[in-house]
Amino acid sequence: MKKNIIICVLFVLSIGVSAQTKIHVDERFELTSIVFRLTEDVAFVHESPANYMADIDDYFSKYKHHKLIEYVKKMIYSRRSLDITFPAFLASDIKITPNGIVWTDEWVATIHANDTLGENYRWTKGELQEYLRLLNIFYKDTRFREFYDAHAAYYQKIEDVFARGVNQIDTAWFCAFFGSPYSMDNIWLVPANGKDNFAVRRIDKRGGEHHNCVISGINFHSDGKPFFDHNNFFVLIHEACHNYCNPILKKYESSFSEVCDTLFTFVRNELTEYYYGTPRAILYESVNRACEYSYYVEHQLFEDVFLKHQLKKEMELGFIWMEEMVNYMTLFRHNRDEYPFFEDFVPSLKSFLEQCVGLMESYYYPKYQLLKARVVATNPISGAVVDTNLRSVVIQFSKPMQKVMSIADISENDILSLPIDEDNIHWADPFTYIMPLREPLKPNSKYGYRVTTFFVDAIDIFHLEKDYDLIFETR
């Protein structure tokens, strides 16, 4: 085993990451992301980067009813569930040539892999052919290349920043952990996609593997300049792990199906809200995260406060056993003679998840619920009858909160909006939110407001458990 690790280290040290990885903003991905943005589906409409999104909307808004966009909308809404990774795989499967857009010959594209793909959210061969036909028309009608070329300098700045950041990756770790040398053919930077990130692994006609990832969560300063931060680095590690982890887990998928189906019954709502709407996400996403966090632990990065917060965020996504699973990976790290590489440890992770099932009701789910911030008291209380000279409204939270202020009107005709003095809203302490009123209330009236889930606690960065409506009346 030590010999294998030494070989991996020597292999990786002989080349730089940038030398073997193409880091670029690719026209195919900008095109595909903009197409899906124009459908106006909430999964594909993002706010950032603001200046670039404004350019997109200014240029393409007149094409929102193009026949391609109408077709894609029909395809999205006719599916049982939405797969937000699908646009990334569509983009990786096409090639833009002087004679039009065609399916790539670099690897086996989705359209050539199957005629009718097994899962309802994927498209059939005929549907993909129609998409490609309409995409060619859209590309010409919009003069897309002109838009893309006009932003070349902007794309170059993003590429330069990420090239420097990517070289921080310890590529030798991947070989030592998974047993295969690090490889990443492409890091596609996709500012048009807003925030989502994906691993895109492809197989060519000779059986060769191509590892790629899509990075959309690109940061920008207020002056519009891109920058690379620790969050970008963590995303790269996560997506790189997917390229190794997914093929291994595919071998074990059937043996995990029962335990994943059972766990899914507990966290269906949480996972579905964040587009992890199938039981198999439990296998592919939570186990991949266990690998990802192993990188941080072994590189002594886990003391980073951000990472500890991020681990709690994984639990908010629905992977409520994540903290314990990361700790369980200690068994792998300390017993490498028994588990030379990660694949040897996968059956033990199945055992871990099976034990999670038995503890779900008594431990995991109660712990998860307690992590969520709640409104525990208000003044006045809901249902109270108060004097018209009420001076302020107070909200008490169960946990220290970030200094976020987010209330909303309740859209019912008989409920009046509170005359809140917005200039003087303040926090008395991390738990207590005070909203002074700027004028007396009307007599014999009903008032109310909604404390929204945009409130975020300061410890575990969990959002408020649910919207909280406070309604009271005046004398």
Side-chain angles (χ1 to χ4, degrees):
M1 188 258 181
K2 291 181 179 177
K3 181 180 178 181
N4 288 345
I5 293 177
I6 292 170
I7 291 172
C8 290
V9 172
L10 291 175
F11 174 83
V12 173
L13 289 178
S14 68
I15 53 175
V17 179
S18 297
Q20 62 175 343
T21 304
K22 188 174 183 183
I23 305 167
H24 55 132
V25 178
D26 190 299
E27 183 183 12
R28 300 169 302 161
F29 286 84
E30 295 306 288
L31 170 63
T32 308
S33 297
I34 289 170
V35 166
F36 277 79
R37 177 179 177 83
L38 291 176
T39 67
E40 298 186 318
D41 186 276
V42 65
F44 307 113
V45 178
H46 306 292
E47 302 292 325
S48 179
N51 291 344
Y52 185 53
M53 292 301 173
D55 286 354
I56 291 172
D57 292 341
D58 287 346
Y59 189 92
F60 292 99
S61 59
K62 62 184 176 183
Y63 299 104
K64 283 186 177 180
H65 299 290
H66 191 279
K67 47 193 169 183
L68 169 66
I69 308 306
E70 295 299 328
Y71 180 77
V72 173
K73 286 166 67 173
K74 182 182 77 171
M75 296 303 299
I76 291 173
Y77 298 127
S78 67
R79 264 34 193 183
R80 169 177 50 81
S81 60
L82 177 65
D83 177 11
I84 61 170
T85 71
F86 191 44
F89 281 83
L90 274 179
S92 73
D93 278 354
I94 62 174
K95 178 189 291 187
I96 301 175
T97 76
N99 298 318
I101 305 173
V102 299
W103 300 115
T104 184
D105 56 6
E106 293 181 36
W107 45 65
V108 180
T110 298
I111 190 169
H112 300 305
N114 298 94
D115 184 355
T116 303
L117 300 176
E119 296 171 277
N120 183 252
Y121 52 76
R122 292 296 175 98
W123 300 0
T124 66
K125 186 173 183 178
E127 290 165 344
L128 288 168
Q129 289 287 36
E130 178 63 5
Y131 167 80
L132 189 68
R133 184 184 75 82
L134 293 173
L135 185 65
N136 272 282
I137 296 171
F138 178 85
Y139 186 81
K140 293 177 181 176
D141 288 349
T142 61
R143 298 182 178 177
F144 187 86
R145 175 56 69 86
E146 292 182 12
F147 175 85
Y148 180 76
D149 287 345
H151 290 82
Y154 173 75
Y155 301 148
Q156 185 65 55
K157 290 178 182 178
I158 296 172
E159 292 169 358
D160 291 344
V161 164
F162 266 78
R164 291 191 294 272
V166 167
N167 278 324
Q168 301 171 24
I169 296 173
D170 174 12
T171 55
W173 178 87
F174 289 85
C175 188
F177 191 88
F178 292 108
S180 301
Y182 177 86
S183 69
M184 184 69 74
D185 291 278
N186 297 278
I187 295 176
W188 291 305
L189 306 171
V190 193
N193 198 41
K195 64 176 182 178
D196 298 313
N197 311 286
F198 313 104
V200 180
R201 178 175 168 270
R202 284 300 196 222
I203 308 296
D204 64 30
K205 295 175 182 177
R206 298 184 300 277
E209 295 186 3
H210 299 266
H211 293 176
N212 316 276
C213 68
V214 170
I215 304 295
S216 303
I218 299 164
N219 300 302
F220 293 85
H221 292 295
S222 57
D223 61 3
K225 292 182 180 179
F227 66 93
F228 185 96
D229 69 0
H230 56 194
N231 189 45
N232 296 126
F233 182 77
F234 301 149
V235 167
L236 285 171
I237 300 301
H238 176 90
E239 301 303 342
C241 283
H242 264 307
N243 282 317
Y244 298 89
C245 203
N246 288 10
I248 293 171
L249 296 177
K250 189 172 181 62
K251 301 176 187 177
Y252 293 88
E253 187 172 334
S254 60
S255 69
F256 274 79
S257 61
E258 183 176 351
V259 66
C260 290
D261 287 346
T262 305
L263 288 173
F264 190 67
T265 63
F266 291 96
V267 291
R268 177 193 300 270
N269 292 339
E270 289 80 9
L271 289 174
T272 301
E273 181 180 351
Y274 292 99
Y275 303 104
Y276 297 121
T278 64
R280 67 196 298 270
I282 290 173
L283 174 62
Y284 285 95
E285 289 299 330
S286 67
V287 173
N288 187 73
R289 282 164 165 78
C291 297
E292 172 194 355
Y293 280 83
S294 293
Y295 180 101
Y296 308 144
V297 170
E298 293 180 31
H299 289 81
Q300 299 181 331
L301 300 175
F302 201 62
E303 292 306 310
D304 189 313
V305 172
F306 176 89
L307 269 175
K308 291 188 174 181
H309 281 182
Q310 190 63 23
L311 184 55
K312 296 290 176 62
K313 181 66 176 177
E314 312 292 9
M315 297 167 69
E316 187 179 24
L317 296 178
F319 305 111
I320 63 179
W321 50 85
M322 207 64 247
E323 190 169 30
E324 289 76 9
M325 196 177 204
V326 168
N327 291 336
Y328 189 76
M329 290 298 293
T330 303
L331 181 63
F332 171 69
R333 289 192 295 276
H334 289 183
N335 294 276
R336 293 301 296 272
D337 288 337
E338 183 178 354
Y339 309 112
F341 297 111
F342 172 71
E343 183 169 356
D344 303 300
F345 191 67
V346 171
S348 186
L349 286 174
K350 178 173 177 273
S351 174
F352 169 83
L353 290 176
E354 287 171 340
Q355 292 174 76
C356 286
V357 171
L359 292 170
M360 192 57 63
E361 291 185 351
S362 63
Y363 172 67
Y364 285 105
Y365 209 71
K367 173 188 173 184
Y368 169 68
Q369 289 295 331
L370 287 172
L371 284 171
K372 295 183 176 181
R374 292 171 169 80
V375 173
V376 295
T378 61
N379 186 22
I381 65 173
S382 190
V385 178
V386 304
D387 292 331
T388 57
N389 63 351
L390 182 73
R391 302 291 298 273
S392 63
V393 174
V394 179
I395 310 168
Q396 187 82 24
F397 294 94
S398 62
K399 302 175 71 175
M401 303 297 286
Q402 296 187 35
K403 299 302 186 283
V404 179
M405 303 177 180
S406 181
I407 62 171
D409 290 336
I410 298 173
S411 56
E412 295 181 19
N413 292 333
D414 62 334
I415 299 178
L416 301 178
S417 299
L418 283 168
I420 297 170
D421 181 359
E422 295 183 359
D423 292 336
N424 290 301
I425 294 175
H426 63 281
W427 291 85
D429 57 51
F431 296 86
T432 312
Y433 186 57
I434 298 180
M435 300 182 294
L437 303 182
R438 64 176 183 272
E439 60 188 42
L441 303 178
K442 296 178 180 179
N444 300 314
S445 300
K446 186 183 290 187
Y447 284 89
Y449 63 88
R450 174 167 294 148
V451 184
T452 75
T453 55
F454 287 104
F455 276 97
V456 180
D457 75 69
I459 298 175
D460 301 318
I461 64 171
F462 271 46
H463 289 271
L464 195 67
E465 179 192 24
K466 59 183 178 180
D467 289 346
Y468 181 91
D469 290 350
L470 173 58
I471 300 172
F472 56 88
E473 299 181 13
T474 55
R475 295 185 176 86

